[in-house]
Amino acid sequence: MMDVVDHQTRSRMMAGIRGKDTKPELTLRRALHARGFRFRLHAPTLEGRPDLAFAQHRAAVFVHGCFWHRHEGCRYASTPSTRPEFWRTKFAANQARDAAVRTKLLAAGWRVATVWECALRKAGQAERSTEVLAAWLLSEAPELDLGAEAPERSS
């Protein structure tokens, strides 16, 4: 199947996809900062340069896009119909890298949380997700995977 736009247009479109300071990341950063949490952005000394690093809590937080990192069961993790083999390879490499980074951080004594884009799309979801993440930061749990189906806060 042929691409519907020319090579230059596609290149410009792909170059516009941000890796840092995305809308979901900014939403989460603002909410955590308002709750009094302080963090480092894209800490270069940590494996995988997590989006947020909380040294006081030994916690690394990644804000993943559902499409690029293949959030399992999410409606936003669609596969393009053009060049499907290219996309399968690309997505598999992203997932393998994510797993390797997670393993290395856990082995180094860091706790790791993944907050998916779908958990931050709507204001209510973002608020609930921030509450769950804040509780996790104050806990001793080693891992957290937070999607749109975030668990209800326990009393």
Side-chain angles (χ1 to χ4, degrees):
M1 184 173 195
M2 197 121 183
D3 201 351
V4 294
V5 296
D6 62 88
H7 179 72
Q8 287 179 325
T9 303
R10 176 65 61 206
S11 181
R12 189 180 73 248
M13 289 166 63
M14 295 304 284
I17 298 171
R18 302 178 64 95
K20 293 181 184 178
D21 300 332
T22 61
K23 187 175 178 182
E25 185 182 328
L26 292 173
T27 299
L28 185 62
R29 282 170 26 188
R30 284 186 197 110
L32 288 171
H33 194 273
R35 284 176 171 72
F37 289 97
R38 299 301 178 256
F39 43 83
R40 280 229 177 269
L41 298 177
H42 315 290
T45 57
L46 287 179
E47 187 71 34
R49 296 181 57 127
D51 297 307
L52 306 171
F54 298 83
Q56 180 181 6
H57 304 287
R58 295 268 310 159
V61 177
F62 292 93
V63 181
H64 281 337
C66 298
F67 175 79
W68 293 105
H69 296 271
R70 310 314 293 164
H71 186 199
E72 191 173 325
C74 181
R75 63 184 251 190
Y76 302 112
S78 61
T79 302
S81 58
T82 59
R83 300 174 52 207
E85 191 54 43
F86 164 82
W87 288 108
R88 274 193 287 276
T89 304
K90 172 98 174 135
F91 295 145
N94 286 352
Q95 289 179 305
R97 185 176 55 252
D98 292 343
V101 164
R102 178 181 281 273
T103 300
K104 287 178 183 176
L105 284 171
L106 290 169
W110 283 79
R111 300 179 314 128
V112 181
T114 301
V115 180
W116 294 95
E117 166 192 18
C118 60
L120 302 169
R121 280 186 173 254
K122 296 178 183 169
Q125 288 175 326
E127 182 67 28
R128 190 173 77 220
S129 296
T130 303
E131 287 177 18
V132 172
L133 181 61
W136 176 81
L137 285 167
L138 298 173
S139 76
E140 296 294 319
E143 294 183 82
L144 176 69
D145 194 292
L146 192 56
E149 71 292 338
E152 293 298 320
R153 224 175 81 178
S154 57
S155 300

